[in-house]
């Protein structure tokens, strides 16, 4: 009787019908596992690089939007709010040609010493002070000088306001009010002139500090590179995101302060405790001699910066190549496919031309990052 070899018997058994294909398919299963693992590595690398690009771009542009909003604040809302606290009424002189209620606020505002929120710019205490706070959704806070004053200043490229000067000195307090009310040189006038100067000295200091921080942070896309490095860790701080950083470097913004030197303040020629009013006269102050610097008024963007800001409003595209990790198949995917990540980042405010810094400042810049 013919007897099968033991191996042959095993091969013809039912178990062998399952075991043999399994043994043959095992290498394929291993290759599939390796393939899934390597594919996951590629996907994780791309996700990490995309996140680094998005996070870095947002961090960098948040610095820009924060700076622009700070400029808008020091240009309007900040000094205006402080000046609104100067509401002490002035006493009218006997036989005054004007006898409506007048405050310290009016003395400076009606001379064009600072811009105020709208819509009423033709009266002081009953206008600019009582104007309602703009609604949160409002895109026009309407900061203007009193009754059309400082027209040459209310431009993207401001120029000297010669029509508001007398004998070369820029008038900072109302001659009409000093003629009709007691704004005495012996006390109240000097106190508030000093306070006015202090307000704008501090405002100028805030502007200088914000500018220093912005320029130091934005230089060579420092914020972007640092963020990119922390989120990837596969590059040096100086070279992280080089390709995208080169694009961001083109969009550094520059502002300039508008400062004044020769100023004139109308006051009342009276004496302490006296009820006599001898008319108004001007005190001349050279700010460079008095405070050792010119007096800050507002800041504006240079023409080239406004051009770059328009582009930022429309959005700029960032691209960044990256290196894929080595794989078990020894295939150079980076050379074959040249992988990169990209996004579009914008800094914008709700105004045509994307200039909400000056004139009519509006601190509503925001950052958007998209595909």
């Amino acid at each position: 009787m013919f007897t099968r070899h033991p191996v042959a018997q095993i091969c013809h058994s039912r178990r062998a019908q399952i075991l043999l294909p399994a043994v043959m398919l095992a290498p394929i299963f291993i290759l599939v596992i390796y393939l899934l693992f390597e594919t996951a590595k590629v996907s994780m690398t791309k996700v990490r690089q995309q996140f680094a690009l998005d996070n870095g771009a947002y961090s960098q542009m948040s610095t820009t939007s924060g700076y622009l909003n700070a400029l808008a604040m020091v240009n309007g809302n900040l000094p205006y709010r402080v000046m609104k606290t100067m509401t002490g009424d002035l006493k009218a002189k006997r036989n005054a040609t004007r006898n409506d209620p007048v405050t310290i606020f009016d003395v400076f505002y009606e001379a064009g010493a600072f811009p105020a929120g709208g819509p009423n710019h033709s009266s002081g205490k009953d206008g600019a002070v009582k104007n309602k706070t703009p609604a949160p959704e409002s895109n026009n806070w309407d900061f203007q000088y009193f009754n059309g004053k400082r027209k040459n200043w209310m431009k993207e490229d401001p120029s000297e306001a010669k029509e508001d000067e007398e004998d070369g000195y820029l008038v900072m307090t109302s001659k009409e009010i000093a003629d009709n009310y007691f704004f005495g040189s012996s006390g109240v006038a000097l106190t508030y002139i000093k306070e006015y100067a202090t307000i704008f000295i501090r405002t100028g200091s805030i502007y200088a500090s914000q500018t220093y921080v912005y320029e130091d942070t934005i230089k060579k896309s420092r914020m972007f590179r640092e963020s990119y490095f922390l989120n990837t860790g596969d590059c040096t701080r100086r070279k992280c995101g080089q390709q995208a950083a080169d694009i961001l470097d083109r969009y550094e913004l520059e502002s300039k302060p508008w400062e004044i030197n020769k100023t004139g303040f109308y006051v009342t020629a009276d004496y302490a405790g006296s009820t006599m009013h001898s008319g108004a006269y001007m005190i001349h102050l050279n700010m460079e001699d008095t405070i050792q610097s010119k007096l800050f008024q507002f800041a504006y963007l240079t023409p080239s910066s406004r051009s770059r800001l328009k582009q930022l409003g429309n959005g700029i595209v960032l691209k960044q190549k990256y290196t894929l990790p080595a794989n078990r198949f020894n295939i150079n995917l980076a050379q074959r496919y040249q992988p990169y990540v990209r996004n579009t980042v914008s800094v914008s405010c709700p105004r045509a031309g994307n200039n909400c810094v000056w004139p009519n400042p509006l601190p509503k810049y925001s950052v958007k990052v998209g595909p």
Side-chain angles (χ1 to χ4, degrees):
M1 183 177 179
F2 177 75
T3 303
R4 292 181 179 179
H5 191 275
V7 175
Q9 291 180 1
I10 293 173
C11 291
H12 282 81
S13 69
R14 289 186 176 182
R15 291 183 178 180
Q17 302 301 316
I18 299 173
L19 179 62
L20 288 178
V23 171
M24 296 176 64
L25 290 174
I28 297 176
F29 288 144
I30 294 173
L31 287 174
V32 169
I33 292 172
Y34 275 132
L35 182 61
L36 290 174
F37 178 74
E38 296 299 335
T39 302
K41 282 170 58 178
V42 171
S43 298
M44 288 174 61
T45 301
K46 180 177 175 62
V47 170
R48 185 182 298 113
Q49 295 288 331
Q50 185 67 60
F51 179 79
L53 182 69
D54 292 347
N55 189 272
Y58 186 86
S59 299
Q60 176 88 356
M61 288 305 165
S62 291
T63 302
T64 298
S65 67
Y67 178 61
L68 293 172
N69 286 332
L71 292 186
M73 287 296 290
V74 300
N75 281 348
N77 205 37
L78 178 60
Y80 171 51
R81 286 187 177 186
V82 178
M83 292 301 297
K84 282 179 70 174
T85 64
M86 298 185 185
T87 55
D89 289 338
L90 294 180
K91 181 181 178 182
K93 73 174 184 179
R94 186 178 300 176
N95 299 323
T97 57
R98 171 179 174 175
N99 56 11
D100 57 310
V102 166
T103 67
I104 299 296
F105 176 94
D106 301 320
V107 175
F108 292 94
Y109 178 55
E110 293 189 17
F114 61 91
N120 192 332
H121 297 287
S122 60
S123 61
K125 181 178 179 181
D126 295 329
V129 173
K130 291 186 177 180
N131 278 327
K132 293 183 179 180
T133 301
E137 65 275 11
S138 173
N139 292 328
N140 182 17
W141 293 3
D142 193 23
F143 272 95
Q144 303 286 339
Y145 287 94
F146 175 77
N147 212 20
K149 287 184 176 291
R150 308 291 198 253
K151 292 180 180 179
N152 290 351
W153 288 9
M154 295 298 294
K155 300 176 182 178
E156 289 187 330
D157 290 308
S159 58
E160 298 291 340
K162 296 293 186 181
E163 70 278 7
D164 296 328
E165 293 182 358
E166 290 187 17
D167 299 325
Y169 287 84
L170 189 65
V171 179
M172 306 301 288
T173 55
S174 169
K175 183 178 185 299
E176 180 190 12
I177 292 178
D179 271 332
N180 288 276
Y181 298 82
F182 286 92
F183 187 58
S185 58
S186 59
V188 64
L190 295 182
T191 298
Y192 282 105
I193 289 172
K194 181 180 178 180
E195 187 169 344
Y196 170 81
T198 300
I199 291 169
F200 279 89
I201 289 171
R202 291 176 177 172
T203 303
S205 178
I206 293 172
Y207 162 74
S209 299
Q210 291 290 329
T211 300
Y212 173 81
V213 171
Y214 168 74
E215 292 177 347
D216 185 65
T217 305
I218 215 77
K219 186 177 181 181
K220 295 182 179 179
S221 299
R222 183 177 300 173
M223 179 66 76
F224 172 79
R225 293 175 189 274
E226 184 71 16
S227 177
Y228 207 101
F229 169 79
L230 293 174
N231 282 292
T232 59
D234 59 358
C235 53
T236 62
R237 278 182 166 88
R238 291 185 176 182
K239 294 185 178 180
C240 261
Q242 181 68 52
Q243 185 180 3
D246 288 341
I247 298 174
L248 289 171
D249 286 343
R250 304 172 195 166
Y251 293 93
E252 294 183 12
L253 304 177
E254 180 187 6
S255 67
K256 289 186 176 181
W258 187 262
E259 300 169 316
I260 56 177
N261 182 29
K262 298 178 69 175
T263 57
F265 296 86
Y266 274 108
V267 297
T268 302
D270 63 355
Y271 301 93
S274 173
T275 58
M276 296 180 61
H277 191 294
S278 303
Y281 75 99
M282 181 183 287
I283 296 176
H284 293 156
L285 290 180
N286 187 315
M287 290 298 170
E288 289 182 318
D289 294 335
T290 306
I291 61 175
Q292 283 71 58
S293 68
K294 292 184 177 181
L295 186 64
F296 177 86
Q297 294 290 286
F298 58 88
Y300 64 100
L301 296 173
T302 62
S304 59
S305 292
R306 294 197 301 270
S307 177
R308 289 191 286 268
L309 195 54
K310 283 184 180 180
Q311 297 176 50
L312 283 175
N314 295 326
I316 58 173
V317 176
L318 303 179
K319 287 186 177 182
Q320 180 59 48
K321 295 179 180 179
Y322 63 93
T323 302
L324 289 170
N327 56 72
R328 296 177 183 270
F329 304 103
N330 292 323
I331 298 176
N332 192 337
L333 295 175
Q335 184 177 10
R336 178 174 295 186
Y337 298 106
Q338 298 182 350
Y340 68 89
V341 288
R342 59 159 281 167
N343 64 20
T344 302
V345 60
S346 65
V347 177
S348 60
C349 75
R351 185 172 294 165
N354 204 28
N355 180 10
C356 292
V357 174
W358 186 263
N360 191 12
L362 180 70
K364 286 196 174 184
Y365 281 95
S366 60
V367 180
K368 181 179 180 181
V369 178

